[in-house]
Amino acid sequence: MIKQLLLITFTFCSLSAFAKIDKLPEEFSDFSLNRDIKVSYEDLDALLEITVLDMGMSDRSSRKSQSSIGTRMKSHKNNDTALEANRFLFESVSQSEIKDGFHKIRISLEKLPDEVSLNELSLDEQLAYWLNLYNTAMVEKLIEHYPIRDTEDLLFGDDSILEEEFLTVAGYKLSLNDIQQKIVFEKFGKKKPIVMYGFYQGNIGSPNLRNEAYKGSKVYHQLVDNGEEFVNSNRGMQIKRKNRLYVSKYYEQAKPLFDDFEADLREHLEDYAEGSMKSDVKYAKRFEVDIEDWSITDLYGTERSFGATASTNPAAMLNAVVSNSAAPVASDGSSSGMGAVNINFINDSIMMRTMNFGRFSPEMLEKIKKLNLKRQDNSGSVEIKDLDSNN
């Protein structure tokens, strides 16, 4: 009998350890008003800083010719969006052990609830956590499938990486879609649709991958920055013939965030549009979800043509790295930073930091310890006694 009970208990625990998420469990739905506990992402910051090229705000310019700044650059079929979106050094990273850093950070983030329950974190800290986990896992999967040029089948095909349940958080098996749709959109997005700009999906047509991790202390500022960049780019929305509004197909993923999709999205776009685009959005007579660009944001995954004046700003940075410069040109024209050619030189230090990194400082760990002890004291125990039959 004891063996049977043990077997049943073991089976139950095994199943619960790999439970699927149908609705938000308490571990994900609750939150704390205490903002003392802050999660650190210094390791992720270090990786993103050296692997992501921030291309700045779009000027809505289109590619004018098929000429290339380097023989390794490939042509791009969408001239309107070819010059947009941050770039990731997929080729260099995929050939370096740095790729293991994203895997190790992803595993580390999955284990965070072992140190402190997610519902003990504030809402902002939770949001930053889910966005960092999603984007780190997304980059890991893209590196795993590299080299690729078009991400559409990878994201939405029969073997979609968005549907693959390869993440485990607090005993729940999760897919990337679970994090986006069932957790972040459900918990945070109903009142703040700006959260949709936190999900990088590897292609030019998606929101940017930032060159820094999301932080609880400034997560909404970071999201607004991403949102403003996306809306005011050709891949976010375009006005044609002054009365036709075309928007990105990425917004189809965000439909659950808008009660009236067209009207509410149009209002959202008007809020974030700059200059004359505000009135153009408001008075456009036609609304079409039509813009798409599935080209991977690999530095060498698209062609860019800069012309004779391309000596500063993001264009110069890109040109310097493509030319294997050890000191790319900064936005002010000076030499600074680290080119792709140097990526292996910092591999050992990055990997060591990743392996030894903790999400909490010693002071923060002490707070968590006291919090756990307080919870144990408050939980107490419940003793069930038989009621007297005379009562």
Side-chain angles (χ1 to χ4, degrees), residues 185-296:
F185 280 6
E186 182 67 27
K187 184 172 183 176
F188 304 92
K190 295 296 185 181
K191 295 182 179 180
K192 297 182 178 180
I194 192 69
V195 299
M196 65 183 157
Y197 296 112
F199 298 97
Y200 167 70
Q201 296 188 335
N203 54 69
I204 291 176
S206 76
N208 267 336
L209 177 66
R210 299 179 65 82
N211 61 357
E212 63 177 358
Y214 286 97
K215 314 293 195 312
S217 60
K218 60 177 183 178
V219 62
Y220 281 105
H221 292 289
Q222 293 171 305
L223 288 168
V224 168
D225 183 59
N226 262 26
E228 289 177 343
E229 188 282 328
F230 190 79
V231 170
N232 294 285
S233 70
N234 287 333
R235 71 190 199 282
M237 70 170 185
Q238 300 178 36
I239 296 290
K240 297 183 178 180
R241 300 181 185 177
K242 290 296 182 182
N243 62 358
R244 297 183 181 184
L245 173 60
Y246 294 84
V247 303
S248 169
K249 285 195 172 182
Y250 175 75
Y251 287 116
E252 291 181 337
Q253 296 182 42
K255 278 188 176 181
L257 305 182
F258 302 102
D259 293 330
D260 185 329
F261 179 63
E262 179 177 337
D264 293 345
L265 177 56
R266 186 191 290 252
E267 182 178 350
H268 168 82
L269 295 174
E270 185 182 346
D271 286 342
Y272 284 86
E274 297 180 350
S276 62
M277 291 292 288
K278 281 186 177 291
S279 59
D280 289 341
V281 171
K282 184 175 182 179
Y283 296 110
K285 295 181 179 179
R286 293 185 58 180
F287 177 95
E288 295 186 31
V289 183
D290 188 60
I291 303 173
E292 58 183 337
D293 191 336
W294 302 105
S295 302
I296 191 169

Side-chain angles (χ1 to χ4, degrees), residues 10 12 14 61 72 76 103 108-109 124 129 150 173 183 214 252 257 260 267 269 276 299 310 316 347-348 355 362 376:
F10 175 78
F12 175 77
S14 299
S61 61
R72 300 164 73 190
H76 191 285
H103 171 74
S108 170
L109 291 175
D124 290 356
Y129 168 80
D150 188 293
K173 296 296 291 183
I183 298 176
Y214 286 97
E252 291 181 337
L257 305 182
D260 185 329
E267 182 178 350
L269 295 174
S276 62
L299 181 61
N347 178 55
D348 291 341
M355 288 188 291
Q376 292 174 11

Side-chain angles (χ1 to χ4, degrees), residues 3-184:
K3 289 184 178 180
Q4 290 177 330
L5 288 174
L6 288 175
L7 179 60
I8 293 173
T9 302
F10 175 78
T11 303
F12 175 77
C13 292
S14 299
L15 289 174
S16 62
F18 297 98
K20 292 185 178 182
I21 179 173
D22 294 320
K23 62 179 181 178
L24 281 179
E26 182 180 351
E27 294 93 327
F28 300 161
S29 62
D30 205 357
F31 64 94
S32 173
L33 296 176
N34 186 346
R35 295 179 175 271
D36 287 344
I37 300 178
K38 300 183 185 301
V39 184
S40 176
Y41 300 101
E42 290 183 10
D43 54 344
L44 184 55
D45 273 334
L47 276 183
L48 293 174
E49 183 180 3
I50 63 169
T51 57
V52 177
L53 287 177
D54 187 342
M55 304 308 291
M57 289 287 288
S58 167
D59 60 4
R60 292 193 180 276
S61 61
S62 299
R63 187 187 56 189
K64 301 302 182 183
S65 72
Q66 296 294 321
S67 61
S68 172
I69 62 173
T71 58
R72 300 164 73 190
M73 305 293 278
K74 300 180 177 65
S75 62
H76 191 285
K77 64 182 180 181
N78 194 328
N79 289 338
D80 286 339
T81 57
L83 305 181
E84 299 184 337
N86 289 352
R87 291 298 192 263
F88 186 87
L89 304 178
F90 278 106
E91 182 174 347
S92 298
V93 172
S94 65
Q95 296 173 7
S96 163
E97 290 183 8
I98 284 183
K99 64 180 180 294
D100 299 329
F102 288 96
H103 171 74
K104 291 178 179 179
I105 290 175
R106 189 260 293 179
I107 296 298
S108 170
L109 291 175
E110 286 181 276
K111 292 181 178 179
L112 184 140
D114 295 341
E115 295 185 78
V116 59
S117 176
L118 291 180
N119 57 27
E120 296 293 350
L121 302 178
S122 68
L123 281 172
D124 290 356
E125 287 291 337
Q126 288 184 38
L127 178 56
Y129 168 80
W130 288 118
L131 294 179
N132 286 329
L133 176 58
Y134 181 102
N135 289 324
T136 302
M138 174 63 74
V139 170
E140 179 189 359
K141 280 294 178 183
L142 291 169
I143 292 173
E144 180 183 318
H145 289 273
Y146 187 85
I148 56 172
R149 289 195 62 201
D150 188 293
T151 64
E152 185 173 13
D153 287 342
L154 186 62
L155 295 174
F156 302 103
D158 294 336
D159 298 318
S160 168
I161 62 173
L162 295 178
E163 295 290 351
E164 181 183 351
E165 295 177 337
F166 67 99
L167 302 164
T168 304
V169 179
Y172 290 90
K173 296 296 291 183
L174 301 175
S175 67
L176 292 172
N177 269 347
D178 286 335
I179 294 178
Q180 184 194 55
Q181 300 287 331
K182 297 181 181 179
I183 298 176
V184 174

